[in-house]
């Protein structure tokens, strides 16, 4: 788990968690100026973050692991920082145009379909999955945009020093070559079995390593559109009807070059249209209104990719080069101008029948999920456990007799029948037998679970784990002998001996690794050897353990090279971008700290400990 620390660290991003800063009450976790963050609001944010990381790692992240990596403090800091920036934006009277908000949504890769264009259905499904309405999501994006404005302004003009870029480039691009000998069990010699007394003493000293973890028996049932869709039959008749309705989306739809501009009133829009038809360009009118042309230009876009139906209908009814009459849309009064037009193409039903049936089955399953959720909650409210409720509704629950916190069975194997990314295990370890647990949102559906039993952690006897203890004892003996042998070889090399003679004396062979960098992944050469080589001078020798201590390496650094710095290379550009982001984050952090100090920030530590499990 330690290797994922870099993924766990939340960068000082101020780009939107959720619409969380509303209302005041007694159940407050933090206050930033006039903004109050409730316990339940932060609990939702924190739980979602743990679930996201669990899906990334393919196994659940426990509360203890999250606290060990400081994730609890990082999420709290980010939440408070966002609240502070929102307060600062209100104080400064900042605003973001409707055009810019829509442009950000249109270009968001999360909302693009298979063809790479904005997909309204995907947009609606995605925001619903995270509990947003369309209006609430647009409002949130405006707040995100204002935070970006502030961060961008205070970090404008920051440039990493060239001296730092050059030093880090040399550090990253430095290359080393080594000759090395690999020592393994063959060089350790004969390892006699331990006497009963020696093994017992070894076990007593290492007993904690062989302790049985806490296990929990749990039952759960997952209800998601994907799972239900597998069992939903779709007739050709229904699929053909859907195909006819979605021809534009399924094929390559007609695309148009669209520009849109919003106005406070129909009168202002009509005045602007008169000027445009009289010879003033659409772009010039946008500039006069202090609109960024990138905000106005939607680019080549399909009709279905325009969120507002009124604007979509008007845009695709106009000929090329025309400007619409004022359009009253969902987000205000707009003018639309059409540039180039690209005709669309439509595939045959036969070529996409399987895809259409799958989409239709999943859509029907989404409606079924809501129906089952209601029935499941009714059953649970009536006292039924997960297994009883599932069976009554024709669902198939999964029972796991024993699983530890890491998602492993007593055999050490990972549990195979938990869907990837589902953190039901960590949730179960934060619950108890008989607890009425809330459903876990998962994959646009829900998961219900019960803890059926708890087997406490305990010390094992030597007889229970004798094979594992003997294997570990043997591994330690091999490691100790190899370390001694490697030390003897290094001593001979330092006295003028050759690596070839050293290899011959232990029945090994000399191998070579050339021109590798610090981040190299070399076949047969552990990362520990690479790291050790970069701590050793040219012609110097050293030793280091390999994987698991059952192998040891003796090496000599034969060459060190620092290639010339190529300022135009991709590596240097990436490094500069990384440093630039670091400077921006640091500058933003200092600015936010100043804001928090000025407007006042307080944290309810007891409530914070309650949400993050620190008081359990």
């Amino acid at each position: 788990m330690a290797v994922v620390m870099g993924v766990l660290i939340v960068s000082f991003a101020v780009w939107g968690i959720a619409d969380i800063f509303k209302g005041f009450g007694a159940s407050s976790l933090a206050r930033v100026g006039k903004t109050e963050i409730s316990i339940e609001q932060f609990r939702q944010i924190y739980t979602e973050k743990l679930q996201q990381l669990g899906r990334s790692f393919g196994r659940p992240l426990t509360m203890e692991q999250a606290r060990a990596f400081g994730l609890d403090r990082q999420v709290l800091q980010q939440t408070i920082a966002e609240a502070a920036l929102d307060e600062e934006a209100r104080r400064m009277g900042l605003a973001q145009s409707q055009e810019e908000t829509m442009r950000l949504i249109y270009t968001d890769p999360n909302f693009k379909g298979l063809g790479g264009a904005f997909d309204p259905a995907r947009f609606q499904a995605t925001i619903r999955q995270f509990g947003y309405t369309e209006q609430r999501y647009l409002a949130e994006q405006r707040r995100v945009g204002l935070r970006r404005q502030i961060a961008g302004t205070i970090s404008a003009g920051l440039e990493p020093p060239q001296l730092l870029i050059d030093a880090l480039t040399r550090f990253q691009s430095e290359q080393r070559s080594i000759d090395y000998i690999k020592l393994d069990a063959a060089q350790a010699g004969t390892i006699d079995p331990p006497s009963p007394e020696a093994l017992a003493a070894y076990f007593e000293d290492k007993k904690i390593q062989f302790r049985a973890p806490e296990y929990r028996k749990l039952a759960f049932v997952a209800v998601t559109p994907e799972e239900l869709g597998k069992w939903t039959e779709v007739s050709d008749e229904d699929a053909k009807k859907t195909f006819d309705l979605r021809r534009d989306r399924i094929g390559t739809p007609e695309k148009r070059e669209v520009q849109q501009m919003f106005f406070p009133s129909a009168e202002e829009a009509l005045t602007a249209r008169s000027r445009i038809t009289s010879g003033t360009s659409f772009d010039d009118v946008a500039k006069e209104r202090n609109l960024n042309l990138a905000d106005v230009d939607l680019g080549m876009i399909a009709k279905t990719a325009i969120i507002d139906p009124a604007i979509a209908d008007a845009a695709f009814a106009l000929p090329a080069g025309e400007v619409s009459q004022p359009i009253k849309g969902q987000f205000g009064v707009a003018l639309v101008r059409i540039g180039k037009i690209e005709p669309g193409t439509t595939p045959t039903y036969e070529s996409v029948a399987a895809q259409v049936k799958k989409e239709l089955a999943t859509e029907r399953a989404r409606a079924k999920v809501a129906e089952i959720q209601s029935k499941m909650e009714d059953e649970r409210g009536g006292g039924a456990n997960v297994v009883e409720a599932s069976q009554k509704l024709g669902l198939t629950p999964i029972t796991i007799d024993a699983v530890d916190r890491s998602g492993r069975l007593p055999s050490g194997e990972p549990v195979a029948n938990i869907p990837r990314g589902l953190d039901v295990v960590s949730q179960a370890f934060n619950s108890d037998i008989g607890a009425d647990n809330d459903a876990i949102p998962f994959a646009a559906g829900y998961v219900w679970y019960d803890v059926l039993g708890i087997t406490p952690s305990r010390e094992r006897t030597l007889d229970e784990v004798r094979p594992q203890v003997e294997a570990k004892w043997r591994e330690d003996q091999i490691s100790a002998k190899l370390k001694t042998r490697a030390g003897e070889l290094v001593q001979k090399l330092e006295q003028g001996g050759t690596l070839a003679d050293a290899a011959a004396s232990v029945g090994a062979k000399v191998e070579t690794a050339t021109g590798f960098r610090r981040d190299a992944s070399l076949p047969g050469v552990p990362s520990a050897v690479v790291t050790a080589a970069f701590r050793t001078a040219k012609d110097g020798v050293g030793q280091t353990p390999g994987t698991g201590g059952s192998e040891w390496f003796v090496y000599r650094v034969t060459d060190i090279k620092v290639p010339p710095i190529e300022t135009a290379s991709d590596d240097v550009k990436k490094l500069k971008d990384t440093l630039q982001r670091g400077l921006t984050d640091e500058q933003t952090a200092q600015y936010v700290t100043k804001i928090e100090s000025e407007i006042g920030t307080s944290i309810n530590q007891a409530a914070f400990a309650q949400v993050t499990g620190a008081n359990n």
Side-chain angles (χ1 to χ4, degrees), residues 52-93:
Q52 290 170 11
L53 291 169
R55 287 191 289 270
S56 300
F57 301 145
R59 61 186 176 121
L61 185 69
T62 67
M63 291 280 195
E64 290 82 0
Q65 290 169 330
R67 291 197 305 276
F69 290 124
L71 182 64
D72 53 347
R73 291 284 170 183
Q74 293 170 33
V75 175
L76 178 64
Q77 179 188 17
Q78 183 172 348
T79 306
I80 290 174
E82 290 178 348
L85 286 172
D86 289 344
E87 290 251 333
E88 181 73 350
R90 285 191 290 270
R91 185 186 69 80
M92 298 172 68

Side-chain angles (χ1 to χ4, degrees), residues 246-259:
R246 302 179 182 177
R247 283 178 182 270
D248 290 343
R249 282 178 48 199
I250 294 172
T252 302
E254 176 187 332
K255 291 186 178 182
R256 295 185 168 212
E257 193 174 42
V258 180
Q259 290 180 299

Side-chain angles (χ1 to χ4, degrees), residues 121-386:
R122 186 183 183 97
F123 167 73
Q124 294 289 348
T126 301
I127 65 174
R128 279 199 306 270
Q129 181 179 347
F130 289 96
Y132 284 100
T133 63
E134 187 173 294
Q135 292 296 334
R136 180 180 163 215
Y137 185 78
L138 287 169
E140 171 65 14
Q141 289 308 296
R142 278 193 286 272
R143 283 194 294 274
V144 170
L146 297 180
R147 295 173 200 155
R148 285 183 174 137
Q149 283 186 41
I150 295 173
T153 300
I154 64 176
S155 61
L158 284 177
E159 287 285 344
Q162 190 61 44
L163 184 63
L164 177 60
I165 295 174
D166 292 345
L168 289 176
T169 300
R170 287 194 295 270
F171 181 83
Q172 291 183 351
S173 61
E174 180 182 336
Q175 299 175 1
R176 299 209 172 193
S177 299
I178 60 171
D179 291 339
Y180 65 91
I181 305 169
K182 178 183 174 181
L183 309 178
D184 54 26
Q187 281 74 43
T190 302
I191 306 295
D192 295 325
S195 67
E197 296 78 15
L199 189 66
Y202 177 83
F203 172 70
E204 195 65 31
D205 185 50
K206 308 280 187 181
K207 186 180 289 187
I208 193 170
Q209 296 183 21
F210 303 98
R211 185 180 178 89
E214 178 182 324
Y215 289 102
R216 298 208 169 192
K217 180 177 181 179
L218 61 99
F220 71 91
V221 62
V223 178
T224 65
E226 183 178 0
E227 284 299 314
L228 294 179
K230 293 177 181 178
W231 315 111
T232 303
E233 293 185 2
V234 177
S235 67
D236 276 319
E237 181 182 0
D238 287 347
K240 285 179 180 176
K241 288 180 181 177
T242 302
F243 171 77
D244 289 336
L245 290 172
R246 302 179 182 177
R247 283 178 182 270
D248 290 343
R249 282 178 48 199
I250 294 172
T252 302
E254 176 187 332
K255 291 186 178 182
R256 295 185 168 212
E257 193 174 42
V258 180
Q259 290 180 299
Q260 68 176 8
M261 188 164 23
F262 286 90
F263 294 85
S265 66
E267 291 75 16
E268 289 187 46
L270 195 59
T271 300
R273 184 181 187 278
S274 298
R275 292 184 60 209
I276 294 170
T277 55
S278 298
T280 305
S281 73
F282 198 90
D283 289 350
D284 286 343
V285 173
K287 289 177 182 177
E288 289 173 8
R289 301 184 65 239
N290 295 320
L291 295 175
N292 190 315
L293 295 184
D295 301 345
V296 172
D297 190 0
L298 300 184
M300 292 298 296
I301 193 169
K303 182 176 181 179
T304 55
I306 299 176
I307 298 176
D308 193 321
I311 291 178
D313 289 341
F316 278 75
L318 290 170
E322 287 293 315
V323 177
S324 71
Q325 294 291 336
I327 307 163
K328 184 170 178 52
Q330 294 178 350
F331 312 112
V333 179
L335 291 181
V336 169
R337 179 184 177 279
I338 304 303
K340 294 185 297 184
I341 298 177
E342 294 180 357
T345 60
T346 303
T348 62
Y349 168 74
E350 289 73 19
S351 66
V352 293
Q355 175 189 342
V356 173
K357 287 183 177 181
K358 182 178 179 181
E359 288 183 2
L360 193 53
T362 301
E363 289 171 9
R364 290 177 176 176
R366 286 195 184 101
K368 188 70 174 175
V369 165
E371 178 186 334
I372 292 176
Q373 179 198 12
S374 177
K375 292 180 179 179
M376 191 73 176
E377 294 296 348
D378 287 344
E379 293 295 329
R380 298 273 284 160
N385 62 33
V386 165

Side-chain angles (χ1 to χ4, degrees), residues 510-522:
V510 178
E511 298 184 72
T512 300
T514 59
F516 57 86
R517 304 200 318 182
R518 296 173 192 271
D519 57 354
S521 178
L522 305 176

Side-chain angles (χ1 to χ4, degrees), residues 12 14 32 77-78 80-85 150-151 154 585-599 601:
F12 194 87
V14 291
V32 185
Q77 179 188 17
Q78 183 172 348
I80 290 174
E82 290 178 348
L85 286 172
I150 295 173
I154 64 176
D585 287 349
E586 183 178 353
Q587 187 88 337
T588 304
Q590 293 177 10
Y591 184 77
V592 170
T593 299
K594 181 176 181 295
I595 296 173
E596 292 173 1
S597 175
E598 290 178 349
I599 66 178
T601 301

Side-chain angles (χ1 to χ4, degrees), residues 387-602:
V387 173
E388 293 166 345
S390 300
Q391 292 173 343
K392 185 171 182 179
L393 297 177
L395 305 172
T396 304
I398 294 173
T399 299
I400 303 171
D401 290 328
V403 60
D404 67 17
R405 288 179 181 272
S406 66
R408 295 184 178 273
L409 302 170
S411 64
E413 295 296 317
V415 178
N417 49 0
I418 297 179
R420 180 177 174 83
L422 174 61
D423 67 343
V424 68
V425 171
S426 66
Q427 297 282 351
F429 271 84
N430 288 318
S431 181
D432 208 342
I433 298 173
D436 184 13
N437 303 304
D438 292 334
I440 305 171
F442 176 69
Y446 300 91
V447 175
W448 290 267
Y449 70 97
D450 280 335
V451 178
L452 305 180
I454 299 175
T455 303
S457 174
R458 64 177 180 85
E459 289 186 352
R460 292 186 173 115
T461 65
L462 176 57
D463 288 339
E464 287 182 271
V465 289
R466 187 176 297 274
Q468 296 96 306
V469 177
E470 290 176 345
K472 179 62 177 171
W473 183 88
R474 176 179 170 79
E475 181 182 299
D476 287 356
Q477 292 295 307
I478 291 173
S479 180
K481 286 195 172 187
L482 292 180
K483 182 178 181 180
T484 300
R485 184 65 58 87
E488 293 169 350
L489 295 180
V490 168
Q491 188 175 17
K492 290 179 180 179
L493 293 173
E494 289 175 339
Q495 293 172 353
T498 67
L499 204 60
D501 290 341
S505 69
V506 295
K509 63 178 181 178
V510 178
E511 298 184 72
T512 300
T514 59
F516 57 86
R517 304 200 318 182
R518 296 173 192 271
D519 57 354
S521 178
L522 305 176
V525 181
S527 59
V529 177
V530 174
T531 301
F534 275 90
R535 291 199 300 260
T536 307
K538 186 177 183 302
D539 298 324
V541 296
Q543 59 166 312
T544 188
T547 305
S550 59
E551 58 184 24
W552 216 271
F553 288 78
V554 175
Y555 63 89
R556 184 191 297 276
V557 176
T558 58
D559 191 27
I560 298 176
K561 288 182 179 178
V562 180
I565 297 175
E566 297 180 10
T567 55
S569 69
D570 289 339
D571 286 345
V572 173
K573 289 178 181 177
K574 289 177 182 177
L575 173 62
K576 187 174 181 179
D577 289 342
T578 300
L579 292 173
Q580 183 74 53
R581 286 194 297 272
L583 289 172
T584 298
D585 287 349
E586 183 178 353
Q587 187 88 337
T588 304
Q590 293 177 10
Y591 184 77
V592 170
T593 299
K594 181 176 181 295
I595 296 173
E596 292 173 1
S597 175
E598 290 178 349
I599 66 178
T601 301
S602 60

